[in-house]
Amino acid sequence: MSRRRPVRRGPVRRRPVRRSKKQDEQVALLVGGVVALGLVAAAVQWLLVHWWLLVLAAVMASVAGGLWIQQVRQRAEWQRVRAQALRLRIAEIDALDHRAFEFSIRDLMRRDGCSAERIGGAGDDACDVRATDPAGRVWAIQCKHRRDGDRGSAVGVGVLQQVNGTARQVHGADIAVVLTNGRFSSKAIPWGREHRIHLVDRRVLGEWAAGSRPLWDLLDRIPPPRRPTALS
């Protein structure tokens, strides 16, 4: 009788265990969480070493917050002034003192949509009111109040020369203005035209203060806008 040869069987291959998609996502989340915790720990440790950066950031945030609050208050004040539709008669302007006159010019600029501040006083470098109009142009305005109106002394070339030396160089003005409730001397008018100094006399001031049009609509040779406006 013939013997049967034993059948040789090869090694048993095991099928690889496949992880489900959900398990892969869980592993990815776990790895991501570990990496994130490591980064957070490293950042905390770095900040503890460089603690002064936290102090600096807090100071900067405080300053930025203060500036933001100030801007909000300024906008509210400007809106209040404009809502009142400020109008002044020339007789009311005559009755002001020089300081109140400067503040009234500031408020008239604000009424017309400008950001404006009164900076008059000692060391003002021949600029009592500095403003930026809605077109982005910077105004440097020197105010000369005359108690007697056009019967008072005329504003002469000397005042214009001071403004010409500081309006653009010091205040960065696009438009230099000398404004009075009185009058200008006969020499001041051509001198101002030659040196691009805009003169606002009693007549122009009265028309502007009455609320008919903004000041830039009443003056000649005004520079073009720096930026587009809602009206353009």
Side-chain angles (χ1 to χ4, degrees):
M1 293 181 62
S2 59
R3 294 182 180 180
R4 293 182 180 180
R5 295 180 180 179
V7 179
R8 294 183 180 180
R9 295 181 180 180
V12 179
R13 296 181 179 179
R14 296 182 180 180
R15 293 181 180 180
V17 179
R18 294 183 178 179
R19 291 180 299 186
S20 66
K21 185 177 180 181
K22 185 175 181 180
Q23 289 176 327
D24 290 340
E25 291 177 351
Q26 290 176 343
V27 171
L29 287 175
L30 180 61
V31 173
V34 171
V35 172
L37 287 175
L39 292 175
V40 170
V44 170
Q45 185 177 5
W46 187 85
L47 287 174
L48 289 176
V49 175
H50 301 84
W51 57 268
W52 55 272
L53 287 176
L54 293 175
V55 177
L56 180 61
V59 171
M60 293 178 64
S62 177
V63 171
L67 291 175
W68 179 79
I69 293 174
Q70 183 180 6
Q71 289 177 354
V72 170
R73 289 176 177 174
Q74 284 181 344
R75 283 195 292 267
E77 175 65 15
W78 299 336
Q79 290 174 359
R80 183 188 66 79
V81 172
R82 296 188 70 188
Q84 290 178 344
L86 179 63
R87 288 174 172 80
L88 295 173
R89 297 185 308 236
I90 197 67
E92 295 175 311
I93 294 175
D94 290 341
L96 301 173
D97 60 30
H98 74 279
R99 188 170 181 272
F101 179 57
E102 294 167 1
F103 278 110
S104 70
I105 300 305
R106 178 203 67 179
D107 291 344
L108 287 170
M109 294 297 286
R110 289 182 176 181
R111 178 199 68 186
D112 294 336
C114 302
S115 59
E117 292 299 328
R118 183 255 181 190
I119 58 175
D124 60 12
D125 289 316
C127 177
D128 294 313
V129 176
R130 187 178 186 275
T132 303
D133 66 24
R137 296 167 298 207
V138 177
W139 295 62
I141 305 175
Q142 176 73 341
C143 303
K144 290 297 178 183
H145 186 266
R146 295 292 184 258
R147 182 179 300 176
D148 298 327
D150 55 2
R151 297 188 304 274
S153 60
V155 179
V157 173
V159 174
L160 277 63
Q161 289 174 335
Q162 293 175 359
V163 171
N164 190 53
T166 60
R168 301 175 183 89
Q169 298 87 333
V170 176
H171 302 289
D174 300 297
I175 304 170
V177 177
V178 178
L179 181 149
T180 181
N181 64 323
R183 57 192 175 89
F184 292 94
S185 69
S186 59
K187 293 182 179 180
I189 295 173
W191 199 97
R193 187 179 300 111
E194 180 182 354
H195 293 84
R196 297 184 297 127
I197 307 294
H198 295 274
L199 306 185
V200 177
D201 60 10
R202 183 178 182 84
R203 181 191 63 80
V204 178
L205 174 60
E207 185 177 356
W208 175 44
S212 60
R213 290 182 293 170
L215 185 56
W216 47 89
D217 282 351
L218 300 173
L219 301 177
D220 297 327
R221 299 185 301 164
I222 294 294
R226 282 193 176 188
R227 60 173 178 252
T229 64
L231 300 177
S232 59

